[in-house]
Amino acid sequence: MKGVNNIGQENLKYFYRSRNLPHKYDIDKPIFITYRLKFTLPKSIIEALEVMKQEWNSELQSLTDIEKKKKIQTRDHLFFSWFDEFLTKSSEVPQLLHRADLTNIIKESFHFFDNQHYQLLAYCIMPNHVHVLIIPVTQQDGDIYSPSHITYTWKKYTAYRINSNLNREGSLWHHESYDHLINSDYDLYHALEYIIENPVKAGLVSKWTDWNGTWIRDDLKPVQIP
């Protein structure tokens, strides 16, 4: 696999991962998946993210070894959050998936194979990208359904339907996706929180329940305070 220095700047992995992404998964562990629409990443976003990364690295050098270790543990999540925020707020990239008809197409793709190829835990459909949390189902041969195959089926189905709705042709989704294995209850909690709070942090709604593109399995929903 290629190292991060060889990953193109159009690739989501480029900005928030400092190592190769995992592509082999343990049985019965959740996987956090993110993918976006196909578009050229604006130079302004690339430059802004590079500056933020450089500042983060400069700050890292001034810390003690213990402080460095603690800071590095939050690096991937932080870089991911920066990239995600830029995608949501930039006026230079497409913002269309929040349309009710397009959102519903993507919802259908997620729920269609629920409890067949995976257990669907949560998702959030943002204006130009999506976050999904699943547990792949084990097949008869003992293997799980490949996350790359699962994502491919989502993209293929939704590309056809959404292109038809928009009367357009060509690739809809960026070919790369980001996937992250959830290794602990702590990671699971933060992944769920990140998904449902994404539209709130982006300033799109005041409560996560107000966003049409957000869904979370009933037994995982946070307790609502009256």
Side-chain angles (χ1 to χ4, degrees), residues 183-225:
N183 282 307
S184 67
D185 289 344
Y186 178 85
D187 286 344
L188 178 60
Y189 166 78
H190 280 280
L192 289 167
E193 181 183 46
Y194 188 91
I195 287 173
I196 67 174
E197 290 297 325
N198 208 206
V200 178
K201 291 179 179 179
L204 300 173
V205 289
S206 57
K207 298 184 299 182
W208 74 266
T209 51
D210 293 337
W211 187 248
N212 181 47
T214 298
W215 179 89
I216 184 169
R217 204 171 71 183
D218 286 342
D219 61 320
L220 297 174
K221 289 180 179 178
V223 176
Q224 298 295 306
I225 301 175

Side-chain angles (χ1 to χ4, degrees), residues 135-151:
I135 301 177
V137 169
T138 305
Q139 304 176 73
Q140 290 184 349
D141 62 3
D143 252 342
I144 64 171
Y145 281 93
S146 162
S148 60
H149 176 73
I150 291 171
T151 306

Side-chain angles (χ1 to χ4, degrees), residues 59-163:
E59 182 180 338
L60 182 70
Q61 302 312 312
S62 65
L63 303 178
T64 64
D65 289 344
I66 294 177
E67 290 171 333
K68 283 182 180 179
K69 184 177 180 180
K70 186 176 181 180
K71 187 177 177 69
I72 288 172
Q73 289 175 343
T74 66
R75 173 181 53 199
D76 293 342
H77 177 74
L78 181 62
F79 288 2
F80 178 93
S81 299
W82 288 346
F83 190 94
D84 199 31
E85 184 176 355
F86 274 109
L87 286 187
T88 302
K89 294 184 176 180
S90 174
S91 61
E92 300 179 75
V93 296
Q95 307 282 345
L96 57 92
L97 298 180
H98 58 295
R99 274 180 40 172
D101 58 333
L102 307 187
T103 296
N104 288 337
I105 291 171
I106 300 171
K107 287 181 177 181
E108 289 173 12
S109 74
F110 293 153
H111 287 280
F112 188 80
F113 284 115
D114 185 20
N115 293 318
Q116 298 180 57
H117 293 179
Y118 49 81
Q119 295 178 42
L120 186 60
L121 304 184
Y123 60 74
C124 181
I125 303 163
M126 297 294 283
N128 55 33
H129 63 284
V130 299
H131 304 296
V132 197
L133 188 64
I134 62 171
I135 301 177
V137 169
T138 305
Q139 304 176 73
Q140 290 184 349
D141 62 3
D143 252 342
I144 64 171
Y145 281 93
S146 162
S148 60
H149 176 73
I150 291 171
T151 306
Y152 169 77
T153 61
W154 291 336
K155 289 182 177 181
K156 183 178 180 181
Y157 172 78
T158 55
Y160 174 77
R161 291 283 309 280
I162 290 174
N163 277 346

